[in-house]
Amino acid sequence: MQDTNVRTAFIGLGAMGYPMAGHLAKKYETMVWNRTFAKAEAHAKEFGSRAVELPEVAQADILLTCLPTSLEVDELARRLLPYLRPGMLWIDHTSGEPELAKMTAQMLQEKGVSYLDACLSGGVAGAVQGRATVMAGGSAEDFARARPVMEAYAAKIVHVGPLGSGHAVKAVNNALLAVNLWALSEGMVALVKQGVDAGLALEVINASSGRSNVSENLFGQRVISRQFPNTFALGLLAKDTGICVKVLEAAGTPAPMLRQVREFFEIAKREVGAAEVDHTAVAQLLEKWSGVEIK
């Protein structure tokens, strides 16, 4: 049953945004817009949302975005600025850059529009199941207003700090994903080179202290299986490690490992041959360098 007192609009119907906006449409009157408008029309047909032209999203009380980069969010904000109304809340689910997000938020604030950077974790499966994790940065007041809306598609919602904090936490989180993925790939090619069965090695690791989300939920299903399903692009993870380095620079803290993993993933993005392949394809680069296949 929809809450007719709150009008929402969702921009960015990608792998995560499409199902999230679907959950939103079950609970609220929801407008949708996508650069490929046919996708918005398909969403409206499937979930009962309303496909609209871009200026119409300004009619919403709460506007949500889920785009590839903060630059695209900023460009969108500039396009929408003449249409936005005071009192609107903008919830940005993009995995973006804290400093650029703060600049966008300042521009929106001059129009009377509040902004929350609310990055996501949980992958496509979490979005489809309505069990995403949200790490939000912004004022306590804006977070309290946003929370009931985000509960339509998220199971874990945490206010992590002031504006920009959501982007910062997400960047560090994804850099840790990158560290685990690279390290496990290095270890597995060494074991296979010495005659160890990759599946059995992974079984032991997952019952031991070296286990991680990568070993438990990614490596067996994607690398050892040779499937490499494209749910999170290598280029996007490389982008996130770059944002993490900016967070480290702003903090001025020592971080040789996280800085190095950024370099590893920039190399992988070039060497694997396409930024669009799944992030687990970095294992194929280590295989190439080692002359063995992880199996």
Side-chain angles (χ1 to χ4, degrees):
M1 184 172 170
Q2 285 188 340
D3 180 349
T4 56
N5 295 317
V6 178
R7 294 170 298 175
T8 67
F10 202 104
I11 296 177
L13 302 175
M16 301 257 315
Y18 194 91
M20 287 166 58
H23 291 298
L24 198 65
K26 295 174 186 175
K27 191 172 180 181
Y28 300 98
E29 177 187 343
T30 302
M31 294 171 276
V32 291
W33 185 84
N34 195 72
R35 186 168 49 190
T36 305
F37 193 68
K39 207 165 195 178
E41 293 175 316
H43 192 278
K45 185 176 181 180
E46 182 174 353
F47 294 108
S49 55
R50 183 161 61 93
V52 298
E53 298 296 333
L54 185 58
E56 293 181 66
V57 302
Q59 300 171 6
D61 303 302
I62 296 180
L63 172 64
L64 304 96
T65 45
C66 191
L67 301 174
T69 69
S70 287
L71 182 60
E72 286 162 288
V73 176
D74 189 74
E75 290 171 349
L76 181 68
R78 293 177 187 279
R79 287 179 64 185
L80 284 173
L81 206 58
Y83 308 100
L84 298 178
R85 299 174 295 106
M88 174 186 278
L89 172 61
W90 188 314
I91 304 172
D92 182 26
H93 287 310
T94 302
S95 294
E97 301 182 32
E99 295 309 313
L100 181 52
K102 291 175 187 177
M103 293 172 60
T104 303
Q106 178 60 41
M107 177 177 64
L108 293 172
Q109 188 59 53
E110 292 172 3
K111 191 78 174 184
V113 175
S114 299
Y115 175 94
L116 202 69
D117 58 295
C119 294
L120 301 162
S121 189
V124 175
V128 170
Q129 296 164 9
R131 298 191 57 79
T133 295
V134 178
M135 54 213 86
S139 73
E141 180 182 8
D142 290 337
F143 177 75
R145 184 181 171 194
R147 183 171 193 131
V149 173
M150 296 189 292
E151 285 175 346
Y153 47 79
K156 182 79 171 178
I157 305 170
V158 182
H159 184 208
V160 294
L163 197 68
S165 299
H167 287 323
V169 173
K170 178 61 186 290
V172 170
N173 175 79
N174 279 19
L176 297 177
L177 162 65
V179 168
N180 286 324
L181 177 55
W182 191 277
L184 183 58
S185 298
E186 285 188 358
M188 292 296 281
V189 293
L191 292 174
V192 171
K193 192 86 169 183
Q194 296 187 63
V196 177
D197 179 275
L200 295 178
L202 193 64
E203 181 181 343
V204 172
I205 290 168
N206 283 335
S208 305
S209 57
R211 67 187 181 276
S212 65
N213 177 63
V214 171
S215 69
E216 292 181 329
N217 298 313
L218 295 178
F219 218 81
Q221 299 92 323
R222 297 176 185 233
V223 180
I224 293 178
S225 69
R226 316 310 297 171
Q227 296 295 312
F228 301 101
N230 193 355
T231 60
F232 180 36
L234 173 58
L236 291 179
L237 184 53
K239 177 208 73 173
D240 290 344
T241 61
I243 295 172
C244 179
V245 169
K246 291 182 180 180
V247 172
L248 301 172
E249 290 171 348
T253 53
M257 180 175 289
L258 294 181
R259 292 175 187 274
Q260 189 64 61
V261 81
R262 184 264 179 115
E263 297 301 321
F264 290 157
F265 273 77
E266 285 297 323
I267 292 169
K269 187 175 67 173
R270 294 192 297 270
E271 292 289 320
V272 170
E276 294 78 20
V277 298
D278 190 68
H279 61 302
T280 52
V282 298
Q284 294 176 307
L285 178 58
L286 273 297
E287 290 176 332
K288 177 183 176 182
W289 288 351
S290 304
V292 296
E293 189 174 278
I294 299 171
K295 61 181 182 181

